[in-house]
Amino acid sequence: MKRVMFDLAALIVRILIGVIFVAHGLQKWQGGLGAVSKMMGQSGVPLPQLAAAFTATVETVGGILLIIGLLVRPAAVALLVVLGGAFVFVHRGHGILSSSGGWELVGALGSVCLLLLVLGGGRASVDQVLTHWYRRKAEHRHAAQETAGASAGAAPAAPTRAAPAPPAESQPAPPTQPMPRSTPAEDTTAPRQHLPDDGSHRPGNLSDQDMSDLDALYNDEHRKPPNR
């Protein structure tokens, strides 16, 4: 509720103050800038012709901007500059009342311009409409960027083909060692060479009787039946 009341009050103040400034500006244009610059020169304003053109333009254009609520703060700054110059060079030293050339009107208009500079023109203004439109556009752009980022993150990644495994290096087979040849065991059962029975090759110089006894013993061993 308070914000609504402020917007309504700001709208009324802007329109009223804007109408006052437009009226003063049009008065200067209609009366001629020559008369205005002459008056300013008599008041000690430097560069009176340039100051007259600047004052008439700022009052007219600034008043229109306040009425429609466009560029309220820059317009308030420009109007404060004009009002400050009028106070310093024209109305200072003449008291407060405007009937005696005092700063009554200048002070009232300057106070309103200062409030508009600090608080703005309210929501019922072109500035607020443009600000709201720009903010909505920025939000849509930000939402679109977030959506695009989320879509890009959710997109399936392209399957990557696995790199073929490098061929195993063929290692040379270990050289086969030749199997050692088995040397035939000395055949102990080879038949004994029959030496000539001349008694010279008999071991131990055995006699014929001894040899016959050994042969008989050997034959008896082979004739025994196996143990049951």
Side-chain angles (χ1 to χ4, degrees):
M1 185 63 181
K2 291 182 179 180
R3 184 60 188 271
V4 175
M5 294 298 296
F6 169 78
D7 294 334
L8 181 60
L11 176 62
I12 295 174
V13 169
R14 283 192 296 103
I15 293 175
L16 292 177
I17 299 301
V19 169
I20 294 174
F21 278 115
V22 171
H24 280 273
L26 291 178
Q27 183 185 15
K28 291 179 175 64
W29 287 111
Q30 292 174 358
L33 295 180
V36 176
S37 63
K38 183 179 180 179
M39 182 190 65
M40 288 185 175
Q42 294 175 355
S43 301
V45 178
L47 301 175
Q49 295 180 354
L50 182 61
F54 176 78
T55 301
T57 303
V58 169
E59 288 179 347
T60 304
V61 177
I64 295 174
L65 292 176
L66 290 183
I67 293 172
I68 65 178
L70 178 63
L71 301 175
V72 172
R73 287 186 169 90
V77 171
L79 291 170
L80 282 172
V81 172
V82 171
L83 293 172
F87 173 79
V88 171
F89 293 103
V90 178
H91 301 285
R92 185 182 60 175
H94 296 281
I96 299 175
L97 298 178
S98 59
S99 58
S100 60
W103 51 266
E104 178 182 2
L105 181 61
V106 173
L109 295 177
S111 300
V112 177
C113 290
L114 183 61
L115 287 176
L116 293 176
L117 174 63
V118 174
L119 302 177
R123 291 182 293 180
S125 62
V126 178
D127 286 341
Q128 188 65 28
V129 174
L130 293 177
T131 302
H132 182 70
W133 173 80
Y134 180 78
R135 194 172 296 169
R136 290 287 300 272
K137 187 176 180 180
E139 290 177 356
H140 286 307
R141 188 186 305 113
H142 184 67
Q145 291 177 355
E146 288 184 350
T147 304
S151 301
T160 57
R161 300 179 63 181
E169 296 182 358
S170 58
Q171 298 180 354
T176 57
Q177 298 180 356
M179 295 295 293
R181 293 183 178 181
S182 57
T183 55
E186 186 177 355
D187 193 358
T188 56
T189 60
R192 290 179 299 178
Q193 295 180 356
H194 295 280
L195 299 176
D197 192 9
D198 56 356
S200 59
H201 295 281
R202 294 175 182 174
N205 295 323
L206 297 178
S207 61
D208 295 337
Q209 184 63 34
D210 293 333
M211 292 299 299
S212 61
D213 292 339
L214 289 175
D215 290 336
L217 180 60
Y218 177 80
N219 293 330
D220 289 340
E221 289 291 333
H222 282 277
R223 289 193 191 103
K224 287 183 180 180
N227 293 330
R228 296 182 181 271

